[in-house]
Structure formats: structure tokens, C-alpha cells
Amino acid sequence: MNLFLRSETKAQRFEDCYPQGNGIIGIMDNCGAISNSIVLNDEGMWSGNKTTKTPKKCGKEGLEEIRDALNKKDFSRAEELVKEKISGRECESYIPVGELTIDKGWGSYRKYERVLDLETSVLSSSYVLADKEYKEESFVSNPSNVFVKKITCSQKSLFRIRFLSTHPTTIQYKEKLLTVIGRAPSHIVYYGLPSKKPIQYDKDEPGQAFALAIRIDTDASQIYHSSGTLRIADATYMTIYYSSMTEIGLSNTESLKTLTNNIVNATSNKSIETELIDRVSKNVDMAYEKGYLGCLKEHIDDYTRLFSRTSFQINQVTKSPSNLNFALKKRDQDDSLIVTLYAFSRYLLISSSRENSALPANLQGIWSRARRPMWSSGYTMNINLQMNYWPVMSANLSECALPFFKFVKNLMYSGMKNSKEIFEMNGFFLGHNSDSSFHSSPVGGETKYSSASYSLSMATSGWLVNQMFDIYSFSKDQELLEQSILPVAEQAILFYLDYLYENEKGELCSGPDISPENSYLFNGNKYSIDEAPAMTLAVIRELFENYLEYGKDNNLLKIVKETRGKIQGYRVCEDGRIAEWSSDLKEADINHRHLSHLYGLYPGKEILENGDLKRASLKTLEARGDGGTGWSLAWKICLYARLGLGDKANELLKKQFRPTYAKRGQRGGSYFSLLSAHPPFQIDGNFGTLAGINEILLQALSEKGINAIPSDWKSGKVTGLRTRENKHVDIEWRDGEIINTKIKNL
């Protein structure tokens, strides 16, 4: 075992747990010696019911009124009108199923360690408690869709297992099988909004149903059950087989079809509750029949099929630090930390997004403890969802991209409906937030205190489609292009063709719009709404270019070709930086975490073809500073890497290892699990950093050659990296020279 996370203490915080998952079930086990606290997540566990959130109806007249205010530079009025006519309800929240505790005794313990083996995706811990030697081992199997945990003890012991949940549940137990059926909240008020009753359970319009089952295998002499608590007496071993499922998991399809409260489908007479219980019970029973070793082998075979495709080392370092906590505090093993973070981020992608996942990885992957999580632990689509999937192809994990494609396709259906209702336009558009119900309309309308900088995000649909095109550029999968990408791209284009309008210079603009989450200063006040933010126009230009390259030869292609050249281009300010807005407006925060106006450099590619814009991009990037949240640092790593500035990218990469203690803030770093910190925990920082390291390595194949590699990386090797044009590449370098490159066509 070379790649692992190891600690000699239990996890003190939720974020310090070593996450486990199979793309559906998420587990956070603190591995306590006296008592385990295991947070149970399921990718489909979201608040919300089937009540339709009716969007506002701005219409074309309302749009003209807003644009007239923008033209007159009456930005205050423009923002008032956007809130009045466009901004709507917030999204629902991703929440835990509950918590499982396992009590094993009391008193002091010694010889403690916990280890997550990144090469097998198996978590283990060992310790001596009350002179008894304990060993624990667990994993989450994708093929069987079960969490399996085995505890062995050198002497007969008493275990107490409790299932805890804040949701209304019904618990039953019979013959070593515990089953739970419950309902998620019908609505959770967005965490930033005041409410006397933020978590709501409506009996008439209930939230979705969920179920879980726990099958026990043990040599215990007796098992006692009372109100969801199991007491397992005189046991030397105990194995737990756990499975969960929600209505979303039950209806894992590519359409917007939803289940009713009473039936699963047209051919089934079972209630949803009965169907869910049957499914999870079958999962744990089948796992029990396979046995612990059978499930373990099946799990390792499945996981290593993906994980083993790629390897990475620098300065002949191939092994993780022996104690992760010490390594993060002392910072004397940075090469080892970089190699480990690379492996861990690939592990997280495999664990949170699989080909059979119903939904893509959200802000926290599939791991969340809060009942009312920050930003709903949802899908923020002005950078964060996209960043989750930046590395999926270069990291050679194409299967993990499939939930992203399904999600965008479903967003298209929802967005087509809203573009008609809100703007009376064709195609589809999206706001910047979404959830499990494919929410597509802009948020920010539920309180007068909501910032306009979080409302509109007219680039969203185009950005998501461009990412689909980028994934295609790696695989060259023609079926994927024709069935999953082009139909969505065409609907995005139809909306932009309706929405874009000419300014006084005859240039096409995208207002009202924002540069995500940033604000500018005008006459001493802060505003966000603009007529032509640089990012949105860059996204649309790239979308049109992608369609011109890959689209069908039809009338739409001709219109796109005619329109492409009319879209307003980049502007460079007097100080040499790329302008973020349509005029020389000063940003309210020059060090803002978003780098939206550099979209065309990364993840886009338009700026790479223009030397003047590359120089302006570098000046813009330098002015933004070297601080930021975990995901912002990751974006900067990617940007510097694409410019071939490996040393600067590496400098920012090392900042990702700053230990995080704060609950909130703008100073990125890592928890003692290597999970990325905004703070709070956001998984996009892990995935963006993985993409950045891969970008450094891929730039070594360009004309920059070895100069793209950080000078601190005196030697190194990467195998199994995937490049565009459907190729695998191995790269090896030493002492300032690339000594071996192998490129294989797939």
C-alpha cells in the first residue's frame, strides 16, 4: 500500500472523516474507538415535494424595460426590475439520511490508527480498548450498492447500534434485519433566509420517501432490539450490511418523469414505501449471501478497474505521508502531499459520481451533515458544478461523467419550459443554482436582501454545453455527440439567438446579466447587473464555435455562422487587464474569488490563440492576487498551468495544504482529510486542483515542453493520462529534460 490517508487519532470534525462512497451511498465514519459516529448520505436525499415552483413572467416588454434602464446607466432601477420581474424562489437542499452510532465500550484506549487505502477504497482502524484488540474494516460497494463494515474483537464484547434521524421514520426489526422507512422534508428554507420554521414536513404534500435496511451477521449469543437500537451481546465479530434508496434512486431515468405518491410505475401495484423497502432489503440480503469476503473482492475489482488507470509521481516520491495530520501541520513532505492529493481527488471522483448515479456530484460530492446546509449543498452552476467535472477525462475516468450528461439533459427540459414562461423565448436557459428537481429559473427573489450578483447567470446553459463538447473532444464518441450533446446545444443556441440584442454600436449583448457574484462601483455604489459581461459573451462565442465545428449542416448552422461575428468581443482596459464588464467599471473587490472574465483562457480556449489577450489575462490574474477559497485557488492553478507557468501554479498548489480550522471564510486550504476548504468544505477545490495538475502535465506536450513543469519537480512520471483526440499518454522527465513520452491512440 503506497497511497493512503493515515491518522493516529479519530476524526474530530465531520470534515476530518475519510469519506467513503459508491456514487450513490455516502459514508462519513469518524472511526471512534469507544463509539463510531457514521453520517449516512444518499445521493437522492433532497428536500422538496412535487409542488411546482412557478417562475415569474418577465416577458419581452419587461426585458426591454430592464435594458432601457441599463442603457441609461440607471443600475439601481435595473436591479430592482430584475428582482421584481425575474428572480424567483431558492432551490431545495441536500441533506443526510441520518446517523448510525456503534458503541463498543468505555475507558481509555491505545495503539490507535485509521487508514484509508486509496488503492482499494477500503477504510480500516485498529486499537486496544479495555485490553481488547479491535479491528474495523469497511467499504461501499458499487456493484452491490451496500456499505459493509466489519468489526472484530479479541474477546467477547457488547456492541450497541443505534439509528438516529431527524426525519419522521418507521422502524421495524426481525431476524437480524432492521428496516427504516421515512420522509424527507417537504421544504427547507434556504440557509441564508430568516424563518421561524426553516425545516418543514407537510403531510398533505410530503417530501420524498426513503428507506434503508441493515442486515447483521454476528456470532453473538443474543441480539436485543428496542426503538431502533440493537444490543449485540457476547460477540467476537459483527458485520453490518447497509443499503439505502430514495424515490430519486428508484426513478433513475434520463427524463423529467416523476413518481406519484402512491405508485412506482404504471405496471406496479406496490406503494413507493413497499417498493423501497423491498429493494434495500434485497440489496443487503444478496450482500449477506455473498459474504464479507465476496463483497470485498467484488468491490476492489470494480474500484481498481477505474483507479489503476493512472499513476503519478514526482521526485521519485510514490508514497503517502505516514501521518497525514503531522504532514499538513509541519509541511515538510509537500511532494508526498501532492502525490497523495492527486490520488485522493481521483478517489473522490470515483466515490461520488458513477455511471449508475442518478445525479452528479454536488457542492460536497455526496457527503453532507447539515440539516440546513450552506448554499443548500446543491448545484452552483456559475463555476462549481462545472469544476467538479473538469478533470474527469484527463484523469481517465470517463464513466464518471455520465451523471453530468444526464443532469444537463434534464436541465434542458426544465429550462425550455422556463424560457417560454419567463421570457417568451425559444430554447433553454438556466439560473446559477439547481437541485434534484432540475430547478432552472433564477433565484434571489424571496427577500429584498438577496444580492443581484447571485441572481442571473445567463452563461450557465452555454457553459454546461461547452463542457459537454470538451468531454467529447477527449473521447470522440460519435454517439455521445449526436444523442446527448447536439440536441442540448441546439436548444441553448436557440435561446441565445432570441436573447441577444444589439447595442448602439451594432454589437450583440447579453444583458441583463452578471459577472458571477462580483460587483462594480458606480457613483459610489455597488451594482452587479450589466449589459455585456465578458464571461457570458465568451461562453456564447465558444458555444457557437463548437457548433460550427461539430453541428449538423442545417439552417441553424447558417444562422450561427452569421451571428458569431456580431457578438461583442473582449475589451482590454487602460491598465492592460481584460475588462470584466461592458465598460470601464471598477470592481468592488479586485481580489474577488471568481475569475469569470478569464473563462476564455481556462476552461475555454479562445484566449490561447491571441498573444495580446494572453498577456492581458496574465495581468488580470496577477491583479486578482494569490489568495482565495479552495476552489478559487484551484482555478488559478489551472489558469497559470495553461499559460505554461508551472512554478506559479505549484506555488498556489502548495497553498491547498494549509490546515483549515475556521468554519467560514475565504482562505482556502485542507481539512485533516485532504478535503478542500472554502471554508466550509466544498469538493470542487479537490477536483479543480486535480484538473490543474493534469493541465501542468499536458502543457509539457505543447511547445512549452519541460518549461511547463514546476522547477521543484526535478523528476517525475505520469502514466495513463488522457488527452484530447482520444489518446493515452505517459510522460517521464528528469533534470530539466523529458526523457520518455508514449502516446497511444484509443
Side-chain angles (χ1 to χ4, degrees), residues 580-731:
E580 190 164 357
W581 291 280
S582 58
S583 56
D584 288 339
L585 297 164
K586 184 179 180 181
E587 58 269 84
D589 179 7
I590 195 171
N591 301 128
H592 196 271
R593 59 193 174 276
H594 280 262
L595 301 113
S596 307
H597 44 325
L598 296 183
Y599 169 90
L601 177 60
Y602 193 100
K605 50 187 181 291
E606 182 182 22
I607 287 176
L608 283 176
E609 303 167 1
N610 187 308
D612 290 338
L613 289 178
K614 283 172 67 175
R615 285 186 286 275
S617 295
L618 178 58
K619 197 157 189 176
T620 305
L621 190 51
E622 290 172 339
R624 260 320 194 242
D626 294 343
T629 63
W631 63 261
S632 181
L633 289 173
W635 197 352
K636 291 174 182 178
I637 293 167
C638 292
L639 288 162
Y640 277 113
R642 183 150 287 184
L643 288 169
L645 301 174
D647 282 338
K648 187 64 179 181
N650 190 39
E651 178 187 330
L652 295 172
L653 172 58
K654 291 180 179 180
K655 288 193 172 189
Q656 296 287 40
F657 300 117
R658 298 179 299 198
T660 296
Y661 300 97
K663 292 183 178 181
R664 305 284 185 271
Q666 299 283 321
R667 186 179 185 270
S670 290
Y671 296 97
F672 290 111
S673 57
L674 281 186
L675 288 172
S676 181
H678 182 293
F681 155 49
Q682 278 189 209
I683 205 166
D684 42 18
N686 289 98
F687 296 144
T689 301
L690 174 60
I693 295 173
N694 284 343
E695 185 66 26
I696 290 171
L697 298 168
L698 288 172
Q699 284 298 321
L701 298 175
S702 71
E703 71 279 359
K704 303 178 186 72
I706 192 65
N707 295 322
I709 303 289
S711 56
D712 284 354
W713 300 4
K714 303 296 184 184
S715 65
K717 183 178 181 180
V718 63
T719 64
L721 206 62
R722 195 165 182 178
T723 71
R724 290 171 178 82
E725 304 304 324
N726 202 20
K727 296 177 181 179
H728 278 187
V729 64
D730 300 344
I731 308 170

Side-chain angles (χ1 to χ4, degrees), residues 3-15:
L3 297 167
F4 55 86
L5 308 182
R6 181 181 178 276
S7 175
E8 295 179 2
T9 62
K10 74 171 187 177
Q12 302 298 322
R13 301 170 293 183
F14 171 80
E15 296 85 357

Side-chain angles (χ1 to χ4, degrees), residues 8-44:
E8 295 179 2
T9 62
K10 74 171 187 177
Q12 302 298 322
R13 301 170 293 183
F14 171 80
E15 296 85 357
D16 296 331
C17 296
Y18 298 156
Q20 298 173 272
N22 64 355
I24 300 169
I25 296 170
I27 298 293
M28 288 290 249
D29 184 350
N30 74 345
C31 295
I34 295 172
S35 179
N36 294 76
S37 173
I38 304 172
V39 177
L40 306 170
N41 284 116
D42 186 294
E43 61 153 349

